[in-house]
Amino acid sequence: MQGNRILVVDDEPDITELIGLYLEQDGFIVHTTDNGEDALRLAKELKPDLIILDIQLKSLDGIEVCKQIRLESGVPILFVSCKSDDTDIIHGLDVGGDDYMTKPFSPSQLVARVKAHLRRQLQLSERTPDEVLAFEGVVIDLQARTVHVYEKEIALSAKEFELLVCLAQSPNRAFPLDELYNVVWGADSMGDTRTLMVHISNLRKKIEPDPANPVIIVTVRGVGYKFNFKEGITHVQR
């Protein structure tokens, strides 16, 4: 993991310097900027392995930066912001953020979260599943990373796809929130469960016939979520 390139975008010099110091101590190559325009330019030129992105930036805010990056790249984006309201977190994740941390935060916890995301990316790149998960009305191609719901292809973000695969590989099993976060984000109970819940909500909006009354990904009260298919799973090997 040493040598991974991290782009830090924050307009508070003290925070940028502190984050950079902690990341460099762990062997990361750190690039920094304090504005959105430079962030877009550096994201294209450097092709970083992960971006730490503040929301409140000069001229071009982090939300718009994330939107534009997502048009071309699936690089993990970790939002950091002093905004802690649920609506702010939901907005950041809706536009393509993978994770969200509120200020003030522990620099060591931030580094741990960065490592977890990078480990997860490495695991995904090494995995070469040659399999299709087929249910009545839902078909998930693990290699092509496509999802069809009632024959219509659904565009999912990287995290939404991983969440769906995790749940669909064990249909009707109730997954606790911490376990789902650990599997999909690669961090053992370090994350804000709101991050997971927002991604579940977004996933439901895309695949459920009626997102307000989900029948594919259902809530198991007191536990978490499950993929609700009574007929079981069909593994189609190529």
Side-chain angles (χ1 to χ4, degrees), residues 100-170:
Y100 194 109
M101 292 186 72
T102 55
K103 299 176 181 179
F105 51 79
S106 162
S108 59
Q109 184 183 24
L110 175 64
V111 173
R113 196 81 69 88
V114 167
K115 289 180 178 179
H117 280 284
L118 293 174
R119 278 197 302 270
R120 184 61 180 157
Q121 287 296 106
L122 180 61
Q123 291 169 359
L124 293 176
S125 67
E126 292 176 342
R127 191 180 70 183
T128 55
D130 190 22
E131 184 177 52
V132 174
L133 308 180
F135 303 86
E136 183 180 354
V138 179
V139 179
I140 307 167
D141 189 319
L142 301 187
Q143 189 174 56
R145 295 182 69 85
T146 59
V147 176
H148 287 79
V149 179
Y150 298 108
E151 300 185 355
K152 178 183 178 182
E153 185 169 354
I154 308 297
L156 300 181
S157 71
K159 284 293 183 288
E160 290 164 358
F161 183 82
E162 290 302 316
L163 267 175
L164 181 62
V165 169
C166 176
L167 292 164
Q169 285 179 323
S170 300

Side-chain angles (χ1 to χ4, degrees), residues 64-83:
E64 186 59 33
V65 171
C66 182
K67 286 180 181 178
Q68 294 193 33
I69 290 174
R70 280 291 173 257
L71 296 175
E72 301 179 356
S73 172
V75 60
I77 295 177
L78 170 57
F79 275 117
V80 293
S81 177
C82 59
K83 295 184 174 183

